[in-house]
Amino acid sequence: MIPENSTALKICANILQQHEDWLSSHIDELITQYLGKIVAILYGPIVGIGETYQEVYQPFLASGSEWMPIVMRIPHADDLQEVLL
């Protein structure tokens, strides 16, 4: 178990909070501009856009990045309706 005062845990929690805050305030923009695309978000802003998860993750894997972005497909409106039901 990781101790609560762990520096890595605090950094991770901070990054996740930044992602959540950014996503909640930019979801309309994401749906409008990136519908059906795969986007990567790191420390808030979009850092990658592509058609596949592999395409979006590859630059981060190749660079040996310490922190990986959150990568997600921006759903179409029809897909959102199914999730919300």
Side-chain angles (χ1 to χ4, degrees):
M1 182 173 190
I2 300 173
E4 286 186 31
N5 63 357
S6 167
T7 301
L9 183 61
K10 288 179 182 180
I11 292 170
C12 187
N14 185 23
I15 291 169
L16 289 173
Q17 186 63 53
Q18 288 176 27
H19 292 160
E20 183 178 333
D21 293 346
W22 192 90
L23 279 170
S24 67
S25 62
H26 291 86
I27 191 67
D28 292 336
E29 171 190 338
L30 289 170
I31 292 170
T32 301
Q33 295 182 16
Y34 304 105
L35 193 64
K37 300 284 186 187
I38 308 290
V39 299
I41 299 165
L42 186 60
Y43 308 116
I46 295 172
V47 293
I49 303 165
E51 298 295 327
T52 68
Y53 286 95
Q54 181 179 5
E55 176 185 356
V56 174
Y57 269 122
Q58 187 56 41
F60 299 95
L61 294 170
S63 73
S65 179
E66 182 178 8
W67 296 98
M68 296 302 286
I70 288 183
V71 177
M72 60 186 276
R73 179 178 299 278
I74 305 303
H76 291 276
D78 293 344
D79 297 334
L80 285 174
Q81 289 298 336
E82 292 175 12
V83 170
L84 296 174
L85 293 177

